[in-house]
Amino acid sequence: MIISFDLDDTLISNKFEAEKSNLFHQFLSVESLRKGTINLFKELKKQNHKIYIYTTSYRSESRIKWMFYSYGISVDFIINQQKHQKKLRKTNVYCSKFPPIFNIDIHVDDSVGVEREGEKYGFKTIIISETDDNWTQIILKEINLKTQIA
């Protein structure tokens, strides 16, 4: 299964506890990942899922890839705003994110608006908030449920 994650306010924010950073992160100004991201991604990889990052930010693909790599985790594919716009130009779909066009099975985000787009355009979402302390368990449970339904 292909699972995509939003970055801002989902995996990156100063509003929740972050993974431990080191001198390398500080020296290169690497953004801090939400605490639990490393273990979650490792567990998803162990379950043979592919992990995509789907952000509407204009961060470069290499910057995003290096950020995760600096934490010892890899992602399979990165979709930034440029890639999103280029792909959606060829459709009649008008939404902030459209996971089906990238063959994504489930998208994880913090935005209720993305959840509504999922309902409208028929794609699966898992919405988590910055206050969800057990956010990784919520995601793993939802993925297992949605895997059984599929």
Side-chain angles (χ1 to χ4, degrees):
M1 179 176 293
I2 299 174
I3 304 158
S4 64
F5 288 84
D6 173 51
L7 286 181
D8 295 311
D9 298 325
T10 302
L11 295 181
I12 297 172
S13 176
N14 59 4
K15 297 177 185 174
F16 39 69
E17 194 174 350
E19 296 280 2
K20 289 183 182 176
S21 63
N22 57 39
L23 288 174
F24 176 76
H25 294 128
Q26 293 165 8
F27 180 71
L28 294 176
S29 300
V30 172
E31 294 175 279
S32 299
L33 290 176
R34 186 177 193 163
K35 187 173 184 174
T37 302
I38 295 170
N39 289 335
L40 174 63
F41 279 29
K42 287 181 178 179
E43 178 59 29
L44 292 172
K45 289 282 193 176
K46 195 167 96 177
Q47 294 178 15
N48 294 316
H49 297 296
K50 290 191 182 300
I51 297 173
Y52 286 18
I53 299 301
Y54 195 160
T55 180
T56 53
S57 82
Y58 287 93
R59 292 175 185 91
S60 71
E61 291 180 54
S62 59
R63 178 179 173 194
I64 295 168
K65 189 171 286 246
W66 274 103
M67 176 181 57
F68 284 95
Y69 184 74
S70 75
Y71 281 97
I73 50 180
S74 65
V75 295
D76 296 293
F77 194 70
I78 296 166
I79 303 144
N80 59 10
Q81 184 65 12
Q82 296 92 322
K83 196 176 279 187
H84 165 81
Q85 287 175 329
K86 184 177 181 182
K87 199 84 153 155
L88 247 61
R89 253 185 239 127
K90 302 171 186 173
T91 71
N92 286 329
V93 175
Y94 302 97
C95 59
S96 63
K97 297 200 175 116
F98 190 57
I101 205 161
F102 296 99
N103 297 314
I104 296 168
D105 299 299
I106 299 174
H107 177 69
V108 179
D109 209 294
D110 67 299
S111 170
V112 176
V114 172
E115 182 178 40
R116 285 190 202 114
E117 290 173 345
E119 292 165 0
K120 180 178 179 178
Y121 291 107
F123 59 86
K124 295 176 185 171
T125 60
I126 299 171
I127 305 301
I128 57 169
S129 83
E130 63 195 34
T131 58
D132 288 331
D133 292 331
N134 60 338
W135 69 281
T136 60
Q137 290 80 21
I138 292 169
I139 291 169
L140 290 170
K141 181 181 175 188
E142 287 292 317
I143 287 170
N144 287 333
L145 284 173
K146 292 178 193 259
T147 304
Q148 292 171 3
I149 294 170

